């Protein structure tokens, strides 16, 4: 793979496992210095870093709760110190538990819990990286959404609502930041099995996927790389489904 992100600094939130880990690996393979953010699992985050470094890439693990102002401020300061640069590519990927709850079961706090991850965290992080991006008149903000917004998945309105809100801010920020050379896009994965899905039955979901296979984390890594690289440089405000066509009929 050509090293077309050489000299760029990327921050991937929630990169100790799951999709974030693979997004980090892909961006590092393309030459970016990657900040592997995590909340709790330092060992997993260090494993991601070790893998990248053993492959000839550059990465550093930095703890930080993306929902917390002080924590985000510390995360960005440490990232800039460690990389001697500012963030060029921000990937808002981190997520917490998103329980399946009926309307009767839901309380307002369940909605706020999801907004913390998919609206508050992107806001805090974007505000923190904007000065550097505006100075350079360049930057990529990539929000990881979900196909659930299109599917309108039942009994999951807490998660669906917050991902829909993330789409709204993606489009508004794209308009607001375009004149600074900063693009803002959203990638909507389908069901992509990661560690937390171990043992789950995927056969019913798979029957509805036109491309006839489950997605793999690399599918998301590749799409993030495309949007982060020069190849995706004229794309902003878009919402891109990466789900084998699972939402084609909608
Ligand atoms: N996998 C899928 O099928 C799928 C489908 C559609 C959309 N998505 C979206 O893709 C993104 C990644 O999903 P995933 O399945 O890879 O998730 P995951 O396996 O549950 O990983 C979540 C990551 O977020 C981190 N995290 C949790 N709380 C955090 C906090 N407060 N601050 C910073 N980091 C925090 C975790 O770190 P620790 O390990 O340190 O706790 C972990 O690295 C999410 O936005 C999700 O909504 C995933």
């Amino acid at each position: 793979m050509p090293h077309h992100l050489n000299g760029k600094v990327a921050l991937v939130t929630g990169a100790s496992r799951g999709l974030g880990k693979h997004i980090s690996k892909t961006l590092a393979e393309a030459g970016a210095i990657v900040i592997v953010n995590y909340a709790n699992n330092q060992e997993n985050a260090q494993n991601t870093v070790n893998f990248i470094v053993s492959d000839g890439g550059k990465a550093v693990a930095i703890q930080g709760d993306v929902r917390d102002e002080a924590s985000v401020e510390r995360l960005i300061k440490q990232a800039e110190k460690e990389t001697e640069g500012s963030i060029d590519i921000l990937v808002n990927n981190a997520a917490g538990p998103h329980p399946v709850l009926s309307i009767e079961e839901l309380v307002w706090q369940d909605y706020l819990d999801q907004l913390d991850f998919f609206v508050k965290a992107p806001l805090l992080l974007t505000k923190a990286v904007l000065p550097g991006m505006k100075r350079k008149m360049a930057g990529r903000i990539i929000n990881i959404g979900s196909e659930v917004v299109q599917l309108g998945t039942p009994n999951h309105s807490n998660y669906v609502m917050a991902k829909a809100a993330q789409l709204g801010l993606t489009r508004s920020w794209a308009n607001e930041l375009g004149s600074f050379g900063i693009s803002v896009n959203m990638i909507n994965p389908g069901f992509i099995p990661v560690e937390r899905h171990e043992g789950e039955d995927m056969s019913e979901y798979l029957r509805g996927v036109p491309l006839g296979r489950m997605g793999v984390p690399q599918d998301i890594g590749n799409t993030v790389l495309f949007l982060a690289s020069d190849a995706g440089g004229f794309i902003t405000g878009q919402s891109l489904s990466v789900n084998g066509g699972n939402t084609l009929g909608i």
Side-chain angles (χ1 to χ4, degrees):
M1 185 187 294
H3 283 200
H4 44 297
L5 293 182
N6 273 345
K8 303 287 184 197
V9 177
L11 165 59
V12 183
T13 69
S16 54
R17 59 190 155 93
L19 302 183
K21 174 173 149 186
H22 294 269
I23 293 166
S24 299
K25 285 176 182 171
T26 308
L27 295 180
E29 274 166 18
I33 303 172
V34 180
I35 308 298
V36 173
N37 162 251
Y38 68 100
N40 309 296
N41 200 324
Q42 191 196 5
E43 194 182 340
N44 276 357
Q46 197 51 48
N47 286 343
T48 307
V49 169
N50 292 347
F51 179 85
I52 289 170
V53 171
S54 69
D55 209 35
K58 291 184 184 144
V60 57
I62 304 183
Q63 195 278 339
D65 182 342
V66 293
R67 303 165 299 175
D68 177 75
E69 282 89 342
S71 190
V72 167
E73 201 179 310
R74 187 180 41 74
L75 163 65
I76 299 298
K77 272 204 182 118
Q78 199 180 333
E80 291 182 345
K81 191 171 160 213
E82 300 257 7
T83 61
E84 295 172 7
S86 59
I87 310 293
D88 300 288
I89 302 157
L90 168 64
V91 184
N92 288 308
N93 168 78
H98 33 90
V100 172
L101 295 166
S102 69
I103 298 168
E104 286 85 353
E105 288 167 325
L106 279 164
V107 294
W108 180 232
Q109 188 59 45
D110 295 314
Y111 276 41
L112 294 177
D113 289 346
Q114 299 307 309
L115 288 170
D116 272 350
F117 274 100
F118 304 128
V119 175
K120 184 181 182 189
L123 175 66
L124 296 178
L125 287 150
T126 298
K127 282 178 74 151
V129 301
L130 265 189
M133 289 185 178
K134 283 188 169 177
R135 216 171 26 249
K136 291 179 184 167
M137 290 295 283
R140 301 290 163 86
I141 298 169
I142 300 166
N143 294 320
I144 306 299
S146 171
E147 68 175 1
V148 296
V149 175
Q150 273 183 285
L151 292 172
T153 309
N155 299 305
H156 216 182
S157 64
N158 45 341
Y159 182 61
V160 176
M161 168 279 307
K163 288 294 191 185
Q166 202 183 16
L167 172 61
L169 62 83
T170 299
R171 292 175 55 77
S172 178
W173 291 355
N175 254 326
E176 188 171 333
L177 298 175
S179 61
F180 297 96
I182 300 166
S183 70
V184 189
N185 288 292
M186 186 151 172
I187 294 172
N188 304 312
F191 180 6
I192 314 263
V194 293
E195 296 90 325
R196 70 185 164 89
H197 297 114
E198 218 177 288
E200 273 184 42
D201 181 10
M202 289 144 204
S203 51
E204 195 188 332
Y205 179 91
L206 184 55
R207 270 196 292 279
V209 180
L211 281 181
R213 70 164 172 89
M214 295 300 290
V216 292
Q218 190 65 48
D219 292 318
I220 305 304
N222 291 342
T223 313
V224 171
L225 173 59
F226 169 65
L227 289 173
S229 71
D230 287 347
F234 201 48
I235 300 172
T236 197
Q238 300 306 303
S239 172
L240 182 57
S241 299
V242 181
N243 62 358
N246 193 44
T247 43
L248 255 180
I250 294 166

